Amino acid sequence: MTKLLDYFLDRITMYRLVLYVLIGLIGVAAILAYVHVLSFSPLALLLSTAFLVVMCWAANSLLAAIFKVPTNVESVYITALILALILDPAKSLADLQLLGWAAVLAMASKYVLSLFNKHLFNPAAIAVVISAFTLGYSASWWVGTASMLPAVLIGGYLLVRKLREERIVGIFLLTSLVTICIVSMVQGLSITKELQQLLVQSPLFFFATIMFTEPLT
């Protein structure tokens, strides 16, 4: 079974696989939103996703022309889809403006915050950090919910298997578990409850398998 999976994965480029996984997650989320498992409407999700894709593409095209460097369109779409999965879908024009700024910041970080053609930070992650400090607009990381967990685990496993990064992701997850246990004991919190929150109701697996493993960071 593993050989068959590796045979399939080896015939897909890494960026293409990430793109497929993210599109799949958006699709699953749209279905869950349609049946009211998620708190937003599927139309809001799809429109926000399309808006982020357009904004990321436009900002990246402009920056690539300014800096006179080649661009990877798949990478642009990947960043846009990650933003769509961690930022709440827009409910107003003001929300759309905030999504637009997050997209511009993510694309700008690819060119400004880089060293030897390597991103110093994951573009989507640094965009939401800057947005939180400058605009007061924080990421909800809504992809980190129990309803999305099965799809995240399946997609994340495919990516980790493709990159052969099981060891580094395992260390990341183990470190997170140990840290939350230590913090819970120091603060007198229920370790069981905190671990359940971390493993089921947080974006831990999404971050570890999709954002943490990005090869250009």
Side-chain angles (χ1 to χ4, degrees):
M1 184 65 181
T2 302
K3 291 183 178 179
L4 179 62
L5 179 61
D6 289 340
Y7 176 85
F8 171 74
L9 293 176
D10 289 341
R11 278 150 182 77
I12 305 176
T13 65
M14 187 278 298
Y15 279 111
R16 189 64 56 85
L17 179 60
V18 175
L19 192 59
Y20 289 161
V21 168
L22 293 174
I23 291 173
L25 291 178
I26 292 291
V28 170
I31 294 172
L32 293 176
Y34 180 77
V35 297
H36 306 294
V37 174
L38 296 176
S39 60
F40 44 78
S41 73
L43 181 60
L45 172 62
L46 296 177
L47 288 177
S48 296
T49 301
F51 179 74
L52 283 166
V53 169
V54 171
M55 286 298 299
C56 284
W57 173 83
N60 184 75
S61 298
L62 178 60
L63 289 166
I66 293 173
F67 286 92
K68 297 180 179 179
V69 295
T71 181
N72 185 323
V73 178
E74 288 180 334
S75 176
V76 174
Y77 296 154
I78 287 169
T79 299
L81 293 176
I82 289 176
L83 288 173
L85 288 162
I86 65 178
L87 295 172
D88 282 333
K91 298 178 181 178
S92 65
L93 289 177
D95 291 341
L96 278 179
Q97 290 179 340
L98 292 171
L99 289 179
W101 277 115
V104 171
L105 288 171
M107 293 301 101
S109 73
K110 291 174 176 282
Y111 298 89
V112 179
L113 302 178
S114 63
L115 186 65
F116 304 119
N117 295 321
K118 294 285 187 180
H119 305 148
L120 296 179
F121 306 98
N122 179 282
I126 193 61
V128 297
V129 169
I130 296 175
S131 296
F133 280 104
T134 60
L135 304 175
Y137 182 56
S138 301
S140 65
W141 294 89
W142 61 264
V143 70
T145 57
S147 58
M148 289 294 296
L149 184 59
V152 170
L153 289 176
I154 293 172
Y157 174 75
L158 292 176
L159 293 176
V160 173
R161 184 66 188 174
K162 167 69 176 178
L163 294 171
R164 306 295 195 269
E165 293 285 9
E166 293 94 335
R167 181 175 177 272
I168 190 65
V169 171
I171 292 173
F172 177 87
L173 294 174
L174 179 61
T175 303
S176 300
L177 293 175
V178 172
T179 300
I180 200 67
C181 287
I182 294 174
V183 172
S184 298
M185 287 190 292
V186 171
Q187 296 183 348
L189 303 174
S190 169
I191 295 179
T192 302
K193 184 177 180 180
E194 294 302 314
L195 285 177
Q196 181 181 9
Q197 178 72 22
L198 178 68
L199 295 173
V200 180
Q201 295 286 349
S202 84
L204 174 67
F205 292 107
F206 180 82
F207 186 89
T209 59
I210 294 177
M211 300 179 71
F212 181 66
T213 57
E214 188 201 10
L216 284 182
T217 300

